[in-house]
Structures are given as C-alpha cells and as structure tokens.
Amino acid sequence: MTEQSSSYLLADLERLQRAADILKTVAHPARLAIINFLEAGEQAVAQICKALGAPQPSISHHLGLMKAKGILSSRRNGSQVFYAVANKNVIEVIHCVRMHGQDSESCTAGSAPE
C-alpha cells in the first residue's frame, strides 16, 4: 500500500466515523421527531416543546447533542433560541430509512418524498 492510498483510506475511515456518529446521534425517537418537525424550517425551542409535547429540559438536551454533532444550527434572538437542520442531507437519509421496506420504492441520492 502506498502512502497516498494509505492517506485516502484514513480519510475514508474518518468520513465513515463521522457518518456513524451522526447516525448514532439521530437514532433516538425524540431526535427523529425534532428533525421531522424542523424539516419545515427554523423553530424556537418553545415551539418544538409544544409540538412534541415534551418538557423543555429534555428537548434542550436533545437539541444540544445534535448541535454538537453539526446536525443542527442555532441562533439567538433576545431570550429565544431558534434551531434549524444544518445539513439537509440528514433529512434525506432519514427519509430513506423511513422508506426502507415500504412498498417497492427504493431510495436514491437526492430523492426525498414529496
């Protein structure tokens, strides 16, 4: 193995580790629900709590974990914090997982349900 191919392998392993970290982070029903809700656009923490019927400390915990992994972004406006999905590819992956096993549809890159 050459030094160049070794560096490519290392880069691939780093990308795979990042992908695994993202998948592990979103692999929780509450986090999937949050991402599903945020798919419509940026929302304040209070709106997320109300929509999901969950207490603020719990939602804030999940939001913080996903923000730390780069799945979500946030901005502050006065006393409110708004969250949004930072990378729309995460939404596409979740759509693909949801479609798995349903009908005979297959998931391809760049496709999401309408």
Side-chain angles (χ1 to χ4, degrees), residues 23-87:
L23 290 171
K24 283 188 278 188
T25 302
V26 299
H28 187 284
R31 294 180 204 137
L32 288 170
I34 290 169
I35 291 170
N36 186 59
F37 184 65
L38 292 177
E39 188 174 346
E42 180 184 71
Q43 299 290 334
V45 174
Q47 292 169 313
I48 299 168
C49 295
K50 183 177 179 183
L52 300 181
Q56 185 271 329
S58 175
I59 294 297
S60 291
H61 170 75
H62 293 299
L63 292 169
L65 289 172
M66 290 191 286
K67 183 180 176 190
K69 293 294 182 181
I71 298 164
L72 301 180
S73 61
S74 69
R75 71 173 179 88
R76 181 174 290 280
N77 185 6
S79 64
Q80 289 188 313
V81 180
F82 292 83
Y83 282 86
V85 177
N87 186 332

